[in-house]
Each structure stands twice: as C-alpha cells, then as structure tokens.
Amino acid sequence: MKEIKTSDITQTVARLCQEANFVLGEDVLAALKKAEQTEQSPLGKEVLSRLIENAKIAQEEHLPLCQDCGVAVVFLEIGQDVHITGDLYAAVEEGVRRCYAEGYLRKSVVNKPFSARTNTKDNTPPVVHTEIVPGERLKITVMPKGAGAENMSRLTMLKPSDGKQGIIDLVVKTVDEAGGSPCPPLIIGLGVGGTVEKTMLLAKKALLRKVAEPNLDPEVAELEREILTKVNALGIGPLGFGGTTTALAVHAEVMPAHIASLPVAVNLQCHSARHKEAVL
C-alpha cells in the first residue's frame, strides 16, 4: 500500500492551481492557432491573435490568463491501495489557499451567497470531486472555473422522445442565448444520461479532455461534430464580435439513464480553458 502525505497534496494543489492560471494548455493554444488560420472574419482573426498573444504574455510574466481566476474545482482520483496520512480535504483546501495568496490571484468566492455575499478572502472552499479507482496512485486535477462561462451553463431534463435532435437544439440554443458573455471561442462540455447531479458532473469532466479529441464512441463523436458545426454557424465568433469560430470543440460524455429520463447538461468553458494535473 502506498502512503501519501497530506503536505505533498497541499504543495501539489498549490502548484497546479498557479500553473493553471498562468499557463494555457498546448492543446488549447494549438486549437486557437488553427482557428486563427481558418477564421473568416478579419475582426475575429484579430481577436484570436490577441488571445494567443495574451497566453504568451501570461506564461512569460507569470500573470493570470484572465482577471477572473475562478472557483478552484479539484478532481481527485484516489487509488484504492493508497493510504493518505491526515485530512485529505483540509490538505486540498490549504493548497488552494496558498495558491491564491502566493500567486496574487483574484479571490472570488463569497460566503452566504444569497444574503451578505462576504468574500472568504482566500478563494476557499474549493469544489472537490472524489473518485475511487484501482491502483496505488493519487491523480489531482485542478480547474479554475470562471463565472462568465459557468453562468451560461444549463441543466435540462428532456423527454426521451426528444432524442438526439433535442440535445442538439438545447446546446445550440444555450450558446446562442449566451452570445459573447462566456468569452468565446468556447469548449462545450456536454453530459447526457445518468441523473440530475451526475449529468452535470459528466459535462464538467468532459472539459478535461484534450481539445478536439473526439469521444471514442463513434455515435457520440458524430454528435459532437454535428453540434460544433451548428454552433459555429451561429456567427457569434471570438469574444462575440462575429465570425466563424464560436467554439473550438464539443466534448460529450454519455452514460445510461432511467427509461423515463433524458438528463442533459451543458457546461460552457471560455477560451481560457485552464486545468493542470499531476500524479502522486
């Protein structure tokens, strides 16, 4: 059995959290550069060029990619043969606290969200999702999730008879109504099936997949392609200034559902698609 110290977890979370805020993934950068070449709108092409330049400056100057440094969403895959010494969740929270203090990142989390809305001043608590997996390792993924895109996300319980077309229509309507608010070009996380809470988690986890890496199921991959084509035909374009690049990718995750249900979740991610991972 492998033993992992909570101090190592705290240190890793703090590092990943800063890296995610400062360094855009190579897959996202590649997608932005490809979009710059294919974008038909001159203004859209200029916006994409500025986004690429922004990513370069952020990495070189150790500055946030976006002023909204997000809520820290942390995914933990815990091997069943791992023993963690100490309080796991306290260790993760301390890592987030150190990250936002030492990285001089904007703290955006508020207490009493429907009344006083008092800033917690250290961006805690994080949102933590835990999964038990085989093996003796701990995989930590940190995703700072900004509010602009998160606010435009949707959860709907479709009728089973709505089928594939209902899912396509829902995603296209969600993106169309969002307009420039979620800071496109987007990565669209789509969850289908499960239950109310599970389908939303599927949509969130779908955002962790490498950009434009299709689902392994051919039927789901075809759904992703159809939605992407229709979304990019909306003409919203980079940052909402018009163009042919409203989304860089659609990532869908699907699981079985109740015979009477078709849960569908759309979790939008802005062009600053930030997440980093490490294995202990």
Side-chain angles (χ1 to χ4, degrees), residues 71 107-125:
V71 170
K107 292 89 173 169
S108 303
V109 175
V110 295
N111 232 333
K112 299 186 177 181
F114 65 88
S115 55
R117 294 188 69 84
T118 305
N119 198 295
T120 62
K121 299 182 180 180
D122 58 7
N123 222 58
T124 66

Side-chain angles (χ1 to χ4, degrees), residues 41-231:
S41 162
L43 181 54
K45 191 181 289 287
E46 175 63 21
V47 170
L48 289 165
S49 175
R50 295 297 180 90
L51 295 181
I52 294 167
E53 181 184 11
N54 178 76
K56 181 174 182 292
I57 294 170
Q59 183 170 352
E60 291 177 349
E61 301 293 333
H62 214 55
L63 296 170
L65 286 154
C66 175
Q67 81 280 359
D68 184 351
C69 298
V71 170
V73 181
V74 182
F75 296 89
L76 302 175
E77 291 184 11
I78 307 172
Q80 60 190 18
D81 296 320
V82 166
H83 173 66
I84 296 170
T85 60
D87 188 327
L88 171 61
Y89 295 113
V92 171
E93 183 165 319
E94 179 60 23
V96 171
R97 183 178 292 109
R98 291 184 191 178
C99 164
Y100 281 81
E102 296 169 3
Y104 301 100
L105 302 176
R106 194 182 86 181
K107 292 89 173 169
S108 303
V109 175
V110 295
N111 232 333
K112 299 186 177 181
F114 65 88
S115 55
R117 294 188 69 84
T118 305
N119 198 295
T120 62
K121 299 182 180 180
D122 58 7
N123 222 58
T124 66
V127 175
V128 183
H129 300 289
T130 306
E131 182 179 1
I132 305 298
V133 298
E136 54 177 22
R137 67 173 195 161
L138 169 63
K139 181 180 179 181
I140 303 172
T141 304
V142 178
M143 172 195 285
K145 194 69 165 62
E150 192 77 355
N151 289 350
M152 298 296 109
S153 300
R154 294 292 182 268
L155 168 66
T156 303
M157 300 298 288
L158 295 179
K159 299 187 296 295
S161 59
D162 291 328
K164 178 181 178 180
Q165 192 58 50
I167 295 169
I168 295 172
D169 292 344
L170 171 65
V171 179
V172 173
K173 181 182 179 183
T174 298
V175 175
D176 192 24
E177 292 179 346
S181 296
C183 297
L186 308 169
I187 298 169
I188 300 170
L190 174 62
V192 180
T195 54
V196 165
E197 80 284 2
K198 183 63 175 181
T199 197
M200 203 75 231
L201 182 56
L202 288 174
K204 182 80 74 180
K205 290 185 72 174
L207 297 173
L208 300 179
R209 195 195 309 166
K210 287 187 178 180
V211 174
E213 183 179 274
N215 192 290
L216 295 177
D217 184 323
E219 182 183 41
V220 180
E222 177 59 28
L223 175 65
E224 293 173 337
R225 286 190 292 269
E226 286 189 43
I227 294 174
L228 182 61
T229 298
K230 289 183 179 296
V231 163

